Amino acid sequence: MSERRQFQGWGRTAPVMATAVTGTAGEVGDLLRSAGPRGLIARGLGRSYGDAAQNSGGEVLLPIEGQPRLVGDRVVAAAGTSLHDLIRFLLPHGRFLPVTPGTRYVSVGGAIACDVHGKSHHVTGTFGAHVDSFDLVTPDGTTRTVTAEGEPELFWATVGGMGLTGVVTSATLRTIAVESGWVDVTTDRFEDLHSLMAAMREGDDAWTYSVAWVDTLSRGRSGAGPGRSVLTRGEHAARAALDARRSGTPYPLPGDPRLGAPRGLPSGLVSPLSVRAFNELWFRKAPRHRSGELQTLATFFHPLDGVADWNRLYGPAGFVQYQLVVPDEAGDVVRDAVATLAASGHASFLAVLKRFGPANAGLLSFPMAGWTLALDLPARPGLGRLLDRLDDAVVEAGGRIYLAKDSRLRADRFAAMYPRREEFARVRDRVDPGRVLSSDLARRLDL
Amino acid sequence: MIDALGRPQSLLLLGGTSEIALATARAWADAKPHVTLAARPGPARDDAAAALTSEGFEVDVVDFEAEDTESHPALIDRVASRRDIDVALVCFGVLGDEEEAWTDHAAAVRLARVNYTGAVSVGVCLASVVRRQGHGTIVALSSVAGERVRRSNFVYGSTKAGMDGFFLGLGEALREHGGRVLVVRPGFVHTKMTAGRPAAPLSVTADQVAEAIVKGVADGSDLVWVPGLMRGVMSGLRHVPRPLFRRLPL
């Protein structure tokens, strides 16, 4: 089945037309062989912010669905399975995913292609680090089961490879045992970025999950610099830690969103004024210090999933997410980025700071040891130039920006950020010499 | 591709020596777009290409003759086969001498051929590229002269009125194919085309038109006036009864 349709990323910028195609895992080979001159890209749930899962004028393969199966402590899932469904399937078995990103509404295939990370990267690494194997259909139509041991090059080109090495149809993932579906959370408030970063540098290794929310608009009180923040850290709660009420439902399942953003909201709702008001509220709501709070997995890991289509809040102009990583010693880039934004009046509704552990072998994988800052910015005049300047600082520091979030990076800066892109190109030359797999991101970054 | 902030990676300038076209390329300089200059061969094109190259742009030149509509399909296909055309500027046109334009048959026909037939011809070719690509923006340089055609330059004005209407319609047609058309209606622009003529009120520079184009593309607009105030002025003038309009010093 095929149909012309408009595609855009989660940021709702740069919409294009392409042909949506569907098929079973067994039909992917034929779909690849019959792809038109502008090629094909697989798409999951459309949570990539930019143009990674759109292919203007070409074909876009919609998610391949199937029921997950538990095999020992591994789960076998179709590429189109959402992490939402996967977590709901695993939890009653007392099992959970070792890595979960900030939303459950991403597909297994997308999580591999973007090599997503979560609040535990410093302990667990990326999603790809827990993939036993995946079935990959390459443009010659053959399906192979790829493992890190058997075909390390193809494996690590596909993990983080933005869907450009083949179409993943299913994957076998390692899972972890959890005694409950609750997280034991400790929250701390900081008046400025400096004290936050010191606390994270000192204490993060003691926690499996850690993430900080930063107010990019705060100018700082007397004596404090910019960037007041709330740091949240957590561990899976032991069964014994649950009170009587909670031990009755030790594995509360994450539900579907209860709220939805209406259609047709105007641009400009997310403005410096509204962000300032929200940030004030959010900061004041957080305790100076609190520990032992039990939160559900959904509340702790996926707070935004409670509101369906929250991306509509940005109106028709849409927004971009800018996520950078810089090495540990380049913490100044993070502080400068926050200060530059505060001074420019470009309001980030969400600014999230995390520490990453060491990089993996993924050729285009994003994380590397150091600091990562993610910003959601309404698409407004002047933003391009500002982010270009941040790009230069990131390159200078030996860092990079995250392709799953990107929608505006320039090809020359991408090349400077990802030194292993030539190895990646060699793998593509081997498996896809005719460049059948293509996306707007690949065109934009000359991938 | 046009990025999330409306910045193109590649530009096709049809009328590549036009000051407005070159000013627009420069206004996008930080996005470092690849530029294809389509113009008649000659020193003007060489100078424009050399200037852009020295400013860090990657530039290609192709031979383009607005009146030679037969050559347009192959030319535009050739450009599109090298890389996506993210933004195409239709910015060629002749002003001519107002009185000669309606008294001299050849002059009138030439104006109509360049400004209207040529524009329609490239518009159709570009539309087919946009449909194939699933994205792309066509910027058509119209004029306030086309909004209400005046006695003082009615041959020119009528060609602009025609091309303006064509591109507005093309924008509607391309919408469902992922494409956009931006019609730009500047007032009097200080360029070599208008050199020596008395500047009208609300006159603008090529840079101001370029700025409006960059913003219009980023916003996904389908019609912009430069300056914006011109919209109000013209919508007033448009409804002035003909006997009165005739007496206005326009």
Side-chain angles (χ1 to χ4, degrees), chain A residues 97-111:
Chain A
L97 296 169
V99 172
T100 169
T103 170
R104 298 186 298 278
Y105 295 100
V106 299
S107 67
V108 167

Side-chain angles (χ1 to χ4, degrees), chain A residues 30-44:
Chain A
D30 285 340
L31 290 172
L32 283 168
R33 277 194 297 260
S34 64
R38 290 180 70 88
L40 177 146
I41 194 77
R43 181 180 175 97

Side-chain angles (χ1 to χ4, degrees), chain B residues 66-67 69 72 92 109-124 159 163 166:
Chain B
E67 283 185 88
T69 52
H72 294 171
F92 55 84
V109 170
R110 172 149 192 273
L111 258 177
R113 271 197 187 138
V114 173
N115 293 2
Y116 181 71
T117 311
V120 168
S121 164
V122 299
V124 169
T159 61
M163 77 90 81
F166 170 79

Side-chain angles (χ1 to χ4, degrees), chain A residues 4 13-17 38 56-57 320 379-380 383-385 387-388 407-408 410-412 440 443-445, chain B residues 1-5 7 9 27 29-32 84 131-135 175-180 215 219:
Chain A
R4 285 282 282 181
T13 52
V16 299
M17 290 302 289
R38 290 180 70 88
S56 58
V320 302
R380 284 205 295 136
L383 182 61
R385 234 163 256 174
L387 295 182
D388 285 349
S407 56
R408 32 89 21 216
R410 238 169 50 189
D412 56 340
D440 291 347
R443 282 186 192 98
R444 183 165 53 80
L445 297 181
Chain B
M1 301 303 305
I2 297 184
D3 77 9
L5 299 170
R7 303 191 294 180
Q9 275 185 304
D30 56 342
K32 275 203 185 162
D84 279 15
R131 277 187 309 175
R132 211 157 57 223
Q133 288 180 170
H135 78 101
R175 204 165 264 274
E176 65 183 282
H177 297 278
R180 294 258 184 204
K215 183 171 184 307
D219 293 348

Side-chain angles (χ1 to χ4, degrees), chain A residues 136-151:
Chain A
L136 183 75
V137 187
T138 44
D140 58 3
T142 59
T143 303
R144 47 185 121 192
T145 302
V146 184
T147 63
E149 296 73 35
E151 281 186 275

Side-chain angles (χ1 to χ4, degrees), chain A residues 187-221:
Chain A
T187 306
D188 288 284
R189 222 165 77 164
F190 296 88
E191 287 295 335
D192 65 73
L193 204 52
H194 195 78
S195 48
L196 168 75
M197 290 172 83
M200 290 176 82
R201 194 176 262 139
E202 277 159 32
D204 267 8
D205 289 349
W207 301 85
T208 305
Y209 301 107
S210 169
V211 67
W213 165 87
V214 180
D215 180 355
T216 57
L217 285 181
S218 73
R219 302 237 164 75
R221 284 154 209 241

